């Protein structure tokens, strides 16, 4: 095993990978569990659209992204809430195609009343669109991939950390 600052630096890199891997696995699992719990217990509620906008960012056409912001309000037990969640979970509202982003923004004109979904025990948790089977399958696959990659990084870097601490060369 190398000694001095090189060994410490290598150990710090491995330790950082342990933390990153554990973090990725945790984020993937928490999003999966939380999204499934929210969707399973969601109740319909009437929402009023307050804002519906499309913004563009990036440089040349191939690097542009389009972000949709939809803000709505709803009432639960006499209390008014506001949200901007279109879908449950850590879903992104960024699109690479303007047409797709515009279609979403156009579905929710300002002032319109729509059906939304709210968590009965956590009324500040809401969303506008129930995920389709394809959306849920894709999201579950992404979360499973995040957990797997994070777990693999965590496992391999943990083994590397143990080997380094024990002074075992490869």
């Amino acid at each position: 095993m190398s000694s001095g600052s090189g060994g410490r630096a290598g150990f710090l890199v491995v330790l950082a990978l342990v933390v990153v891997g554990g973090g990725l696995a945790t984020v993937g699992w928490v999003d999966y569990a939380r999204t499934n719990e929210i969707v399973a217990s969601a109740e319909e509620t009437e929402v009023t659209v307050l804002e519906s906008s499309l913004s563009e960012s990036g440089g040349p056409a191939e690097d542009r992204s389009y972000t949709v912001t939809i803000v709505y309000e709803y009432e639960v037990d006499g209390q008014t809430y506001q949200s901007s969640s279109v879908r449950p979970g850590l879903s992104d509202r960024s699109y690479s195609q303007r047409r797709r982003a515009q279609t979403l923004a156009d579905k929710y004109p300002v002032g319109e009343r729509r059906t939304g979904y709210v968590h009965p025990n956590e009324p500040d948790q809401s969303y506008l669109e129930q995920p389709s089977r394809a959306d849920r399958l894709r999201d579950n696959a992404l979360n499973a991939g995040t957990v797997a990659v994070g777990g693999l990084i965590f496992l391999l870097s943990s083994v590397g950390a143990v080997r380094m601490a024990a002074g075992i060369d490869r």
Side-chain angles (χ1 to χ4, degrees):
M1 178 171 139
S2 62
S3 61
S5 64
R8 281 190 295 262
F11 182 75
L12 290 176
V13 167
V14 170
L15 185 60
L17 287 172
V18 168
V19 171
V20 168
L24 280 173
T26 300
V27 166
W29 177 254
V30 168
D31 184 53
Y32 166 78
R34 181 76 178 134
T35 299
N36 284 338
E37 191 257 326
I38 289 171
V39 169
S41 62
E43 296 177 354
E44 287 187 2
T45 189
E46 185 176 274
V47 305
T48 302
V49 179
L50 303 176
E51 177 188 341
S52 181
S53 63
L54 172 68
S55 61
E56 181 179 323
S57 62
E62 62 273 0
D63 293 333
R64 284 196 189 120
S65 72
Y66 304 91
T67 302
V68 178
T69 301
I70 300 170
V71 178
Y72 55 94
E73 72 178 5
Y74 56 98
E75 191 174 296
V76 176
D77 296 330
Q79 174 92 19
T80 301
Y81 297 88
Q82 282 190 9
S83 180
S84 62
S85 296
V86 175
R87 294 182 188 91
L90 297 175
S91 61
D92 190 10
R93 290 167 288 170
S94 187
Y95 297 87
S96 59
Q97 298 175 344
R98 181 181 181 86
R99 182 177 38 94
R100 290 188 66 211
Q102 190 66 55
T103 299
L104 179 61
D106 290 346
K107 282 174 64 175
Y108 298 99
V110 173
E112 287 275 322
R113 292 193 177 287
R114 299 286 186 185
T115 298
Y117 303 89
V118 64
H119 190 289
N121 299 325
E122 298 176 57
D124 60 326
Q125 300 292 314
S126 67
Y127 57 94
L128 291 174
E129 296 183 352
Q130 286 283 29
S132 67
R133 283 182 172 263
D135 288 340
R136 291 194 66 190
L137 180 61
R138 182 198 68 231
D139 291 347
N140 287 344
L142 287 172
N143 284 331
T146 302
V147 169
V149 168
L152 187 60
I153 291 170
F154 180 82
L155 178 66
L156 293 175
S157 54
S158 295
V159 168
V162 168
R163 290 176 64 115
M164 288 179 86
I168 302 171
D169 287 329
R170 292 182 181 191

